[in-house]
Every structure is written in structure tokens, then in C-alpha cells.
Amino acid sequence: MAVIGFPKQLTLNNFKGLDEAPPSANERKGYQLRAETSTTVKYAVDTYSEIKKDGDTTTTVWKVKRNYSPTLVFNMNETWMLKSVKNDKAEAAETLAHEQGHFDISGLCARIYQRKVLQFEEEKLEDLNKKILALQAEISEKIDSLNKIYDEETSIKGTRENQIIRQQTWLKVIAVCKGNEECEFEAPA
């Protein structure tokens, strides 16, 4: 069971070099950005019906096909890094590691979605579709929330020393989860 497009090791070549951050990106985030990684999880699922017999009772249940895999799309047209950052080897390495964290958060959440959606079973297709849509919204919110916490802890709040420590903590937790298909990824304590 795998998420299509994840894992993936990002490189500096994945980032467009910009002279300055797009004003809309800084306004959206509320602070000055050095880089931005854009990902999309494509959730499209295939469903099927199955007849279940229990004694004299026959029931039709709807499920998601077992070979289903969500797709994590790396949006290269919306992913960028300041040229001044890309041209500074140390700053580029630090920023690339941070942006890899954003990508991995999305991938780990897509993996959670995949695991949960494959457990769904409903008697009505409409009910299955409602559960799928609710889970998609939940996972999208989780991705946004975790990325916001990640940025706050590693780039915005606290001293630079504490940000570096938190960055290392996040990347360790991410690495452990990447190696464990059953990991329920959450922000590290």
C-alpha cells in the first residue's frame, strides 16, 4: 500500500528561483517567506459493491477498491525559493530540509487517509461517499494545521536556537513515520 508520489526526495532543482517572494504568499502567511512548497493530495477513489450473506439475510455493501492509492502531487509551478537562499549553500540546505518537511507532512497525512478510507463499508453508496468526503476534509484540515504548527515552531516563534531544535525534532518524527506504514502522524511533543 503506497501513496503515489510519496516518498520523494526534494532537490534545489525542484524550486523556481525568485528574486523576491510573491506578495500574495507573504500576505497569506503573515510573515516573510524564503521558500514555499506546494502540494496537492488527489483523493479520487473507485468504489464497488459486494453482496454479504448472513444466514437468510443478504446485504449489499459499498467499499473502496483495495488497490486504491491517493496521489501526492508536487506543484512545481507554485513551488519556489528565493535566489539569494538558493545561492547560499548553508541557507539552501537548511531551507530545503524545512521544505522537505512540508512535503513529507502532506505525504504522511495522505497515507493516513488511504489507510482509513480502505476500512469504510456502507450499505448505501451515498453514505459511503459522505464518509469519504468528510475524511477528505478532515485530512486536508490536518495537513494545513500540521504545516502551520511546523512553521510556527521551526521558523516563526522562539529563538533561532529553539527553532533549530524543533526542526530537528520534527524531522526525526517524520523520518520514523516515513518508515512505518501504520504511523498516525501528529505534531511532535
Side-chain angles (χ1 to χ4, degrees):
M1 184 165 73
V3 173
I4 297 168
F6 178 78
K8 172 187 173 120
Q9 187 62 47
L10 302 182
T11 69
L12 290 177
N13 292 333
N14 294 125
F15 294 81
K16 286 189 298 190
L18 298 181
D19 291 323
E20 58 185 44
S24 61
N26 287 335
E27 289 169 15
R28 186 175 64 252
K29 296 284 187 173
Y31 53 90
Q32 294 293 322
L33 295 174
R34 298 184 306 170
E36 187 168 47
T37 298
S38 176
T39 59
T40 304
V41 178
K42 294 198 173 190
Y43 294 110
V45 298
D46 289 329
T47 57
Y48 70 99
S49 63
E50 183 178 283
I51 306 295
K52 283 195 168 188
K53 288 192 173 205
D54 184 11
D56 293 336
T57 307
T58 301
T59 308
T60 301
V61 294
W62 287 90
K63 298 179 177 184
V64 174
K65 288 186 179 177
R66 291 285 164 218
N67 63 351
Y68 166 70
S69 292
T71 302
L72 181 60
V73 177
F74 182 77
N75 303 316
M76 292 212 35
N77 290 335
E78 298 172 27
T79 297
W80 57 270
M81 187 180 294
L82 294 176
K83 287 180 185 175
S84 60
V85 172
K86 284 183 87 167
N87 293 332
D88 180 314
K89 193 172 184 175
E91 194 173 2
E94 180 183 323
T95 302
L96 184 60
H98 178 83
E99 294 305 312
Q100 181 72 51
H102 283 295
F103 180 83
D104 291 343
I105 287 167
S106 296
L108 291 169
C109 289
R111 193 186 279 171
I112 292 168
Y113 170 80
Q114 179 184 32
R115 194 170 48 254
K116 287 183 176 184
V117 79
L118 288 173
Q119 296 172 9
F120 288 172
E121 184 175 296
E122 291 295 328
E123 290 184 14
K124 294 181 182 176
L125 180 58
E126 179 181 330
D127 293 341
L128 178 64
N129 287 333
K130 285 179 184 176
K131 281 179 80 171
I132 290 169
L133 289 173
L135 182 60
Q136 289 171 358
E138 175 187 321
I139 294 298
S140 293
E141 174 59 35
K142 182 179 184 93
I143 291 169
D144 291 345
S145 175
L146 285 170
N147 276 309
K148 182 178 180 185
I149 294 167
Y150 176 65
D151 271 342
E152 287 174 353
E153 292 185 1
T154 62
S155 300
I156 302 169
K157 294 184 178 177
T159 66
R160 186 67 195 129
E161 181 181 338
N162 285 340
Q163 291 172 354
I164 291 168
I165 291 168
R166 286 306 290 166
Q167 176 76 24
Q168 292 168 346
T169 301
W170 273 86
L171 295 181
K172 285 177 187 172
V173 171
I174 287 169
V176 168
C177 276
K178 283 172 72 174
N180 177 359
E181 291 279 333
E182 301 301 315
C183 181
E184 285 292 324
F185 183 71
E186 294 293 339

